[in-house]
Amino acid sequence: MSLQVSNISKAFGGFQALSGVSLEVPTGALVGLIGPNGAGKSTLFSVISGFMPPDEGSISFDGRSLDGLSPAERARSGLVRTFQVPREFAHLTVRENMMAAAPDQTGESLVGLFFRPGKVREEEQRLAEEVAEVIRFLRLERVADQPAGKLSGGQKKLVELGRALLVKPRLILLDEPFAGVNPVLIGEIMERIRELNGRGIGFLVIEHDLEALTRLAPHLYVMDQGRILTQGAPDAVLADARVREAYLGGAV
């Protein structure tokens, strides 16, 4: 299994945000995670990605325990997350945002900058080529040299995805990639996700747009009140009476 989450619990004071949550994302799979507001989805993402520790439970990625590892260490292992609200550097261009996302650059240290200038130049050239390829892949050439803060919501989501790709991920945790995005760009984002998945990159996707997510992900987990309610193929999950009650208010 690529990602295995086992019996994760997390409380904030007297509020139990997660209660014994377990799920699996096989290598190269595309899995959706749905649930009503307050179900614990974003808290689960924060725990999986290392931004907050669990009270109980464990997480492993490709057979390696992630317990105690920082978000940066988890990202280096190939597990990367995006955020519901994009965290772009607003005054930097799209290209500069992506350049800044690449990890472990020699030029980031004074020693490397002053004593290994040749290597720094080589890395910068290689990174510039990688960024240009990501920009082409995401169809962002037209806005590549515009300040990221001036982009539309959908374009910012694409930049967020591009920044994740620069870390060379094997599994991406996508937090509401379609929120606040117009239908045309939703289609663009879905196409890019499918193509990346076809290249072997796995995805675990939180999304409130059920219609879009059920077209994208062949397997869904449903959360409610900090627990996994059910899982399975989209049609079976959405036909479950418990899901209709918890997530759809009893409506189909």
Side-chain angles (χ1 to χ4, degrees):
M1 291 297 172
S2 179
L3 175 68
Q4 189 156 16
V5 177
S6 302
N7 298 311
I8 293 294
S9 294
K10 181 68 180 179
F12 301 97
F15 174 67
Q16 193 70 38
L18 301 173
S19 300
V21 174
S22 296
L23 59 79
E24 297 175 348
V25 181
T27 300
L30 207 171
V31 176
L33 179 63
I34 66 173
N37 289 331
K41 304 181 300 296
S42 291
T43 300
L44 180 62
F45 261 28
S46 292
V47 171
I48 294 173
S49 55
F51 284 88
M52 63 176 62
D55 297 332
E56 297 178 7
S58 63
I59 300 166
S60 63
F61 184 56
D62 283 351
R64 176 194 179 193
S65 173
L66 299 182
D67 299 343
L69 296 187
S70 69
E73 290 169 328
R74 296 182 194 214
R76 290 189 192 98
S77 77
L79 178 64
V80 181
R81 77 163 292 180
T82 67
F83 293 88
Q84 179 179 351
V85 178
R87 299 185 175 187
E88 80 281 354
F89 299 110
H91 299 294
L92 297 183
T93 66
V94 168
R95 194 182 309 276
E96 290 166 341
N97 265 271
M98 293 193 188
M99 295 279 286
D104 304 324
Q105 299 177 60
T106 303
E108 291 178 343
S109 70
L110 289 176
V111 172
L113 188 62
F114 287 105
F115 295 102
R116 308 185 73 182
K119 183 175 182 181
V120 170
R121 284 193 296 271
E122 289 177 6
E123 286 184 356
E124 287 180 345
Q125 178 60 36
R126 185 168 61 250
L127 177 58
E129 293 170 358
E130 291 177 4
V131 167
E133 175 56 32
V134 170
I135 287 172
R136 283 193 294 272
F137 171 72
L138 296 175
R139 314 290 197 267
L140 290 172
E141 300 102 315
R142 186 173 57 84
V143 296
D145 297 304
Q146 294 183 17
K150 294 186 177 180
L151 302 182
S152 70
Q155 290 170 329
K156 289 181 179 181
K157 293 294 178 76
L158 286 169
V159 172
E160 185 94 342
L161 178 57
R163 285 160 57 90
L165 293 177
L166 266 298
V167 188
K168 305 292 191 299
R170 287 179 291 127
L171 176 63
I172 301 177
L173 309 177
L174 282 181
D175 195 345
E176 297 208 31
F178 309 138
V181 179
N182 71 59
V184 173
L185 268 179
I186 286 177
E188 285 281 333
I189 295 171
M190 289 178 68
E191 287 180 15
R192 302 290 80 76
I193 293 171
R194 288 193 186 103
E195 186 168 343
L196 291 168
N197 187 239
R199 297 179 184 180
I201 296 176
F203 288 87
L204 178 59
V205 185
I206 291 175
E207 183 51 55
H208 275 97
D209 187 335
L210 276 183
E211 191 275 333
L213 188 59
T214 54
R215 285 192 289 126
L216 179 66
H219 190 92
L220 299 179
Y221 281 89
V222 184
M223 289 188 69
D224 185 38
Q225 298 181 7
R227 300 176 183 274
I228 298 295
L229 192 61
T230 188
Q231 63 165 306
D235 288 347
V237 163
L238 297 182
D240 190 307
R242 295 169 298 171
V243 176
R244 292 155 59 101
E245 180 65 28
Y247 190 80
L248 303 175
V252 176

